[in-house]
Amino acid sequence: MKGQTAVITGSSRGIGRTAAEELAKKGVQIVIVDINGGNAEKVAEEIKSQYGVETLGIKADISNSEDVKRLFEEAVKKFSKIEILVNNAGITRDNLLIRMKDEEWDAVLNINLKGAFLCSREAIKIMSKNKYGRIINIASVVAFIGNPGQVNYSASKAGLVALTKTLAKEYASRGITVNAVAPGFIQTAMTEQLPEKVKEEMLRMIPLSRFGTTQDVANAITFLALPESGYITGQVIHVNGGMYM
Ligand code: NAP
């Protein structure tokens, strides 16, 4: 993997940042992407000095096609090729269906699903030329089991699983594999905000009796990104402590 380049969306914190560090440890050049920007540059600098790989920090809203085009243009200008794309950026806007506002539905679908479509479209143009690529989409256990209050989020993640399988079929002949990782309950800013009662209920559903870490998810992402994982495509790796089998 040494010398390859990975674009990881939503990588200034949480799962994306740990995945970026894990790939950097293997000598992969990293493009950090977030929506606020300042932090992306800071994290890119930190990873460069810690792991000795070239990095780039870019502010881009992945739900905006102009931003996404610019993101990939800047990445290619610096690194010439992109071998790995991790569609990780995601948000929640939870509400019960009858209270859910149009804006809450649209924001989640636009970032979690359309964002992955836009980034994959740009990345695949670049990967196709080199007849090599690894795309890894970060879905969620709720795509498979549903979750009250998350009709928008669970639909977006189920859509991402279908997108994964379809792209896997469309681009297998170009040497590009497309897989998903479906995390369960992972300790990040996204889950910190949940009430203690909900967390206790969740824990009871997890056979391995602990919440996941960003490292648990990053390990699965790194595995799928390896050149040696080239016979795996259209699959979902569940990283959930057994809460869904
Ligand atoms: P997080 O800590 O909330 O971080 C989200 C990241 O996405 C941030 O870097 C954020 O940028 C970025 N982002 C948000 N909107 C964006 C946009 N429009 N354009 C570009 N970047 C954007 O998230 P996380 O908990 O690590 O989750 C990462 C992924 O795993 C998500 O897709 C999530 O749905 C999925 N997941 C998480 C869990 C969990 O338990 N945590 C479980 C299942 C699945 P800023 O820092 O600039 O805001």
Side-chain angles (χ1 to χ4, degrees):
M1 278 174 133
K2 201 170 174 354
Q4 291 190 352
T5 302
V7 172
I8 306 161
T9 65
S11 44
S12 60
R13 55 193 167 99
I15 291 167
R17 178 173 179 152
T18 309
E21 293 193 34
E22 208 49 43
L23 291 170
K25 281 182 203 165
K26 297 198 175 301
V28 175
Q29 308 177 118
I30 304 291
V31 182
I32 300 283
V33 186
D34 75 0
I35 184 130
N36 292 319
N39 224 16
E41 282 169 28
K42 186 171 153 273
V43 172
E45 275 307 313
E46 285 168 7
I47 291 179
K48 181 179 177 172
S49 65
Q50 197 169 349
Y51 302 102
V53 293
E54 283 303 315
T55 61
L56 183 63
I58 299 181
K59 172 184 170 145
D61 176 356
I62 55 146
S63 64
N64 177 302
S65 59
E66 292 308 312
D67 270 25
V68 171
K69 278 191 189 126
R70 177 180 51 79
L71 153 65
F72 282 88
E73 275 164 19
E74 285 181 28
V76 168
K77 197 169 160 205
K78 179 157 174 122
F79 296 115
S80 330
K81 289 187 298 173
I82 292 162
E83 285 86 359
I84 302 162
L85 167 66
V86 185
N87 283 312
N88 167 76
I91 61 161
T92 51
R93 294 286 183 273
D94 296 352
N95 228 333
L96 293 172
L97 175 83
I98 54 167
R99 293 198 203 124
M100 185 164 289
K101 298 183 184 71
D102 290 10
E103 304 84 70
E104 290 169 334
W105 174 271
D106 290 343
V108 169
L109 269 290
N110 280 338
I111 293 170
N112 297 9
L113 185 54
K114 187 181 172 194
F117 153 67
L118 293 174
C119 291
S120 301
R121 192 169 62 181
E122 294 309 311
I124 278 175
K125 287 180 200 162
I126 300 156
M127 291 170 175
S128 289
K129 283 188 197 148
N130 301 315
K131 292 214 180 284
Y132 181 91
R134 297 277 179 270
I135 297 181
I136 298 138
N137 297 318
I138 310 306
S140 168
V141 66
V142 303
F144 300 87
I145 62 175
N147 199 23
Q150 292 199 313
V151 67
N152 49 359
Y153 183 78
S154 53
S156 74
K157 295 299 188 180
L160 201 49
V161 171
L163 178 144
T164 300
K165 294 180 185 183
T166 297
L167 290 188
K169 287 189 175 177
E170 280 187 18
Y171 295 99
S173 63
R174 301 290 179 109
I176 301 168
T177 65
V178 188
N179 292 288
V181 173
F185 189 108
I186 310 299
Q187 284 172 309
T188 67
M190 185 177 269
T191 46
E192 231 164 55
Q193 61 205 6
L194 290 171
E196 278 310 311
K197 202 165 163 267
V198 175
K199 289 187 192 170
E200 280 164 27
E201 274 169 29
M202 290 268 186
L203 201 52
R204 274 198 289 276
M205 291 161 58
I206 303 172
L208 286 175
S209 300
R210 69 168 176 88
F211 296 132
T213 63
T214 58
Q215 188 64 51
D216 291 322
V217 185
N219 292 343
I221 294 171
T222 306
F223 167 70
L224 289 171
L226 286 167
E228 292 84 350
S229 299
Y231 199 57
I232 303 170
T233 198
Q235 305 301 315
V236 182
I237 296 188
H238 293 272
V239 182
N240 60 27
M243 91 187 261
Y244 166 77
M245 298 179 186

